[in-house]
């Protein structure tokens, strides 16, 4: 009986840790996001300031190994293809420490990007210095930024849509709705949604996804 109770507690904890219910530490909607300089899979360093003609950015914290991230890869590619030409390119960032999660190192990132045909930068958060500033807790976790002069204003934080694992069940496209609103000069109807995914891995949080 004790073993069954322990397993039930672990199951509830596992489910609970896949969810982020609201904004925590890090940026809030309306904050100005500071620029960063991170290495891309092509070896070049990438900053938001490199995109002088962009109207904003779809920043996605994602990785190679999380099932939720993998389930959203095609959707992330589709977002970049649709909105890059409209001024909102995708900037993907892998926040995981490869020492804590095998398969999230730069070499593996290059392989995955080639396999999937990523059309966007796939950056490595070396030293895990960027994701804490944003307050990202999951992969995937999306932040939409709107350029206002030299400032990047946070306009949306959360999930890509309302079906984390099954694209066929999507009925509400949070990121598309938010970017469409911004392109019309309006504020998104929803500025926060629940990010669903795997916890970002550090040496203190080693884990195997199941």
């Amino acid at each position: 009986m004790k073993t069954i109770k322990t397993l039930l507690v672990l199951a509830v904890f596992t489910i609970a840790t896949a969810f982020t219910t609201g904004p925590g530490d890090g940026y809030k909607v309306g904050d100005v996001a500071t620029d960063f300089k991170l290495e891309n899979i092509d070896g070049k360093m990438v900053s938001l300031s490199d995109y002088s003609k962009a109207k904003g950015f779809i920043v996605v914290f994602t990785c190679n190994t999380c099932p939720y991230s993998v389930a959203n890869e095609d959707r992330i590619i589709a977002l970049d293809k649709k909105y890059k030409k409209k001024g909102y390119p995708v900037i993907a960032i892998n926040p995981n420490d490869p020492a804590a999660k095998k398969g999230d190192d730069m070499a593996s990132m290059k392989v995955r990007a080639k396999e999937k045909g990523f059309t966007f930068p796939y950056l490595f958060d070396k030293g895990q210095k960027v994701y804490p500033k944003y307050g990202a807790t999951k992969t995937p976790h999306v932040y939409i930024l709107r350029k206002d002069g030299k400032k990047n204003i946070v306009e949306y934080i959360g999930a890509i849509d309302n079906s984390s694992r099954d694209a066929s069940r999507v009925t509400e496209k949070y990121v598309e709705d938010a970017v469409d609103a911004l392109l019309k000069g309006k504020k998104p109807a929803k500025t926060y949604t629940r990010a669903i995914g795997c916890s970002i891995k550090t040496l203190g949080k080693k884990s195997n996804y199941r």
Side-chain angles (χ1 to χ4, degrees):
M1 182 63 70
K2 186 175 181 180
T3 301
I4 294 174
K5 288 183 178 179
T6 300
L7 290 173
L8 286 172
V9 170
L10 288 172
V12 171
F13 177 78
T14 300
I15 293 171
T17 54
F19 294 84
T20 297
T21 57
D25 295 334
Y27 296 138
K28 308 294 188 296
V29 169
D31 287 350
V32 176
T34 56
D35 204 352
F36 49 74
K37 182 173 285 187
L38 297 175
E39 185 179 0
N40 191 17
I41 50 174
D42 62 4
K44 296 179 180 179
M45 302 301 289
V46 173
S47 298
L48 298 178
S49 59
D50 296 335
Y51 295 78
S52 59
K53 296 182 179 180
K55 298 176 182 178
F57 304 93
I58 302 171
V59 178
V60 185
F61 291 91
T62 186
C63 68
N64 292 346
T65 55
C66 173
Y68 293 91
S69 291
V70 173
N72 277 274
E73 284 176 333
D74 289 339
R75 282 174 266 186
I76 295 171
I77 293 170
L79 285 171
D80 186 60
K81 289 182 176 179
K82 180 174 182 178
Y83 289 109
K84 179 163 54 181
K85 59 188 177 184
K86 297 182 180 182
Y88 275 83
V90 165
I91 308 292
I93 301 174
N94 178 5
N96 282 348
D97 184 343
K101 184 58 188 176
K102 184 178 180 181
D104 276 324
D105 56 281
M106 178 60 83
S108 299
M109 289 168 61
K110 292 178 181 180
V111 171
R112 188 62 183 171
K114 185 176 181 180
E115 288 176 347
K116 291 296 298 184
F118 284 177
T119 57
F120 45 80
Y122 189 21
L123 313 180
F124 179 55
D125 188 5
K126 186 176 181 180
Q128 298 186 304
K129 297 177 181 179
V130 173
Y131 90 79
K133 291 182 180 180
Y134 276 75
T137 58
K138 305 294 178 186
T139 53
H141 207 152
V142 181
Y143 292 74
I144 297 177
L145 312 180
R146 174 182 57 83
K147 285 184 68 174
D148 182 6
K150 294 184 178 181
K151 297 179 180 179
N152 294 297
I153 312 298
V154 180
E155 295 285 0
Y156 170 85
I157 301 173
I160 291 173
D161 51 46
N162 66 344
S163 181
S164 59
R165 296 290 290 267
D166 188 351
S168 69
R169 292 179 174 269
V170 173
T171 59
E172 194 170 359
K173 298 181 178 181
Y174 304 135
V175 169
E176 289 195 28
D177 290 346
V179 177
D180 286 342
L182 292 170
L183 287 170
K184 294 176 182 177
K186 300 178 180 180
K187 292 292 184 181
K190 288 187 177 181
T191 55
Y192 287 105
T193 61
R194 183 169 58 184
I196 302 173
C198 304
S199 61
I200 292 173
K201 297 299 178 283
T202 71
L203 277 177
K205 296 180 181 180
K206 292 184 179 180
S207 175
N208 290 317
Y209 304 122
R210 296 181 181 177

